[in-house]
Amino acid sequence: MMEQCKEKLNIAMFGQKRIPSREGGVEIVVEELCTRMVAQGHNVTCYNRGGHHVSGSEYDSKRLKEYKGIKLKTVPTIEKKGLAAVSSSFFAALCCAFGKYDVVHIHAEGPAFFAWLPKLFGKKVIVTIHGLDWQREKWKSGFGSKFIHQGEKNAVNYADEIIVLSKGVQDYFEKTYGRKTVFIPNGVSNHIERKPQIIKNKFGLDKDEYILFLGRLVPEKGIKYLIEAFKQVDTEKKLVIAGGSSDTSEFENKMKELAKADKRILFTGFVQGQALEELYSNAYVYVLPSDLEGMPLSLLEAMSYGNCCLVSDINECTDVVEDKAFVFKRSDINDLKNKLQDVCCHTGKVMKIKKNSSEFICKKYNWNNVVEETLIIY
């Protein structure tokens, strides 16, 4: 086994939108890694995008220069669709190339396009592939698609090590490029359950009265299947769809139109802080109906709050839950409807799964272990 390096490292990270922020899974991962690395005495600098929060400027936080010991630097960003990630990643890579860093850690395939730049200046480069981003609906054609495909290839060609979050992605890199990668899944923390206060006042939600989806409102999350299925379920429980749109609100508007005839379906918009904790804490069942995932952090979080989960049968979900959740056939509205009806009618089954959910997931996916394994790679 490799010995962990005891020296204090100068580490740079980019590829996230901004930290501190919950704009997506990447931001959560970067924050969890960096705060723990700083606590161990390493110097960490994160290069944040400029511009506004993905769910709207009302969620913008102050531009900090430091957060929990992490140095934060904001790079120039062209705030146009498709150019924000490209422009911010270029300037971040440039700063990393000229900065005094031992390791440059790049997150996601698009930003990895610029892996050659710090490499050219003698830096050690690590790339974490959070998922095969070119499979996502918004990157299936045009310039964005070409950019992300090339980012994947540049990761293969220039990164000293590639970290992947699922065995499926590991197999993909082996078969497609003959490139070995390191499998380090995401972690999760123990969470204290909260009584329904904010969600009761704001949305009229009480404990076990609702089924929850929480995530970005994008096509690959399977929200359309969930709405179609739930409309056919005989229950007084509500369906809560929590999360903001990504880039444009076109898809979100379509989903609201699809759901508007059913008064049981509630869209909360983007949530964070105590409201988010309350939603996780008081859900009857958490549903993740995705067609495509990298490593679903919302699923890990939902289970860490002791939730019973119902997930699509894609490997990225079933590898996480094992036999500790209910599973339906991906994109099959009828199967999803039947499973939803089943959990609504059989409270005992749901409570049995809730009992073991938190302990199981927190033991299986631990952030401290993730950080140790990452530092060994460094």
Side-chain angles (χ1 to χ4, degrees):
M1 185 174 167
M2 292 171 67
E3 248 187 70
Q4 189 190 326
C5 178
K6 299 294 181 193
E7 65 182 293
K8 301 309 175 191
L9 298 171
N10 293 313
I11 302 157
M13 294 206 192
F14 73 89
Q16 75 284 352
K17 295 179 183 78
R18 281 158 286 270
I19 66 161
S21 156
R22 285 189 62 99
E23 291 177 74
V26 175
E27 287 71 41
I28 297 167
V29 171
V30 171
E31 182 176 330
E32 294 286 355
L33 290 176
C34 292
T35 49
R36 285 169 171 78
M37 288 176 182
V38 166
Q40 291 192 27
H42 301 288
N43 298 311
V44 184
T45 303
C46 281
Y47 288 91
N48 285 342
R49 282 189 202 180
H52 293 296
H53 191 288
V54 71
S55 291
S57 57
E58 67 268 31
Y59 299 108
D60 286 350
S61 51
K62 288 178 185 172
R63 271 196 193 174
L64 304 173
K65 291 191 175 175
E66 190 176 291
Y67 173 71
K68 294 185 177 178
I70 308 159
K71 296 182 190 75
L72 302 179
K73 297 191 176 179
T74 302
V75 294
T77 305
I78 300 167
E79 268 215 279
K80 284 192 176 166
K81 192 181 174 186
L83 289 179
V86 178
S87 56
S88 60
S89 298
F90 168 71
F91 287 112
L94 200 60
C95 293
C96 291
F98 287 101
K100 292 182 177 177
Y101 300 115
D102 301 306
V103 175
V104 176
H105 192 155
I106 305 171
H107 292 268
E109 291 188 322
F113 181 93
F114 298 106
W116 57 272
L117 195 46
K119 187 72 184 164
L120 190 66
F121 285 79
K123 305 295 190 293
K124 293 292 183 189
V125 176
I126 311 291
V127 172
T128 293
I129 303 293
H130 290 257
L132 302 177
D133 290 335
W134 47 266
Q135 293 180 339
R136 300 184 190 281
E137 193 68 35
K138 69 174 181 175
W139 300 123
K140 280 191 173 173
S141 60
F143 168 74
S145 174
K146 291 186 177 72
F147 178 72
I148 283 171
H149 271 102
Q150 191 57 51
E152 184 175 286
K153 288 170 186 166
N154 286 0
V156 169
N157 292 330
Y158 298 106
D160 291 282
E161 291 285 2
I162 297 174
I163 296 170
V164 296
L165 307 181
S166 73
K167 295 288 190 184
V169 173
Q170 189 169 44
D171 292 343
Y172 167 80
F173 273 86
E174 178 80 55
K175 286 174 187 165
T176 309
Y177 303 106
R179 174 74 198 243
K180 299 272 187 204
T181 57
V182 184
F183 170 58
I184 307 177
N186 288 328
V188 72
S189 304
N190 284 95
H191 289 104
I192 298 164
E193 291 184 36
R194 285 186 176 270
K195 287 187 163 50
Q197 294 173 334
I198 294 172
I199 62 170
K200 196 169 187 174
N201 294 334
K202 197 171 180 182
F203 306 115
L205 298 172
D206 220 330
K207 187 160 184 67
D208 291 335
E209 286 185 353
Y210 61 93
I211 290 160
L212 176 66
F213 165 86
L214 196 148
R216 283 176 305 118
L217 305 189
V218 290
E220 58 267 20
K221 291 287 185 184
I223 304 160
K224 184 174 185 292
Y225 315 135
L226 178 56
I227 293 170
E228 294 277 24
F230 183 79
K231 288 197 304 190
Q232 301 173 58
V233 174
D234 181 17
T235 181
E236 290 183 7
K237 294 191 189 300
K238 293 175 181 174
L239 171 63
V240 175
I241 296 174
S245 56
S246 182
D247 290 330
T248 75
S249 54
E250 184 186 351
F251 179 73
E252 181 181 2
N253 292 337
K254 280 182 184 172
M255 293 305 98
K256 285 179 176 175
E257 184 65 28
L258 184 65
K260 74 176 183 183
D262 193 326
K263 300 301 179 198
R264 299 171 302 167
I265 303 175
L266 167 69
F267 289 80
T268 67
F270 178 78
V271 285
Q272 58 188 348
Q274 188 178 329
L276 175 78
E277 293 168 7
E278 288 182 18
L279 280 173
Y280 274 136
S281 297
N282 297 287
Y284 177 65
V285 168
Y286 176 83
V287 186
L288 188 63
S290 300
D291 282 335
L292 178 69
E293 283 290 346
M295 169 78 179
L297 266 172
S298 64
L299 177 57
L300 270 63
E301 287 186 336
M303 292 184 79
S304 76
Y305 279 93
N307 272 293
C308 169
C309 296
L310 169 59
V311 301
S312 60
D313 64 356
I314 60 172
N315 291 336
E316 288 78 6
C317 289
T318 56
D319 287 352
V320 168
V321 302
E322 296 182 20
D323 61 348
K324 304 292 189 294
F326 296 109
V327 178
F328 76 95
K329 192 176 174 187
R330 163 191 162 169
S331 74
D332 188 326
I333 293 168
N334 197 49
D335 191 32
L336 177 53
K337 178 204 78 174
N338 291 337
K339 295 285 165 55
L340 284 168
Q341 191 67 67
D342 189 44
V343 296
C344 287
C345 292
H346 298 97
T347 307
K349 282 186 184 178
V350 171
M351 295 306 156
K352 190 177 176 183
I353 285 192
K354 278 182 182 255
K355 204 163 71 174
N356 303 313
S357 183
S358 180
E359 188 184 353
F360 164 75
I361 207 73
C362 292
K363 198 177 280 185
K364 185 176 176 183
Y365 298 105
N366 183 289
W367 276 122
N368 292 328
N369 294 343
V370 172
V371 170
E372 290 309 315
E373 289 177 45
T374 305
L375 286 170
I376 288 168
I377 299 293
Y378 290 178

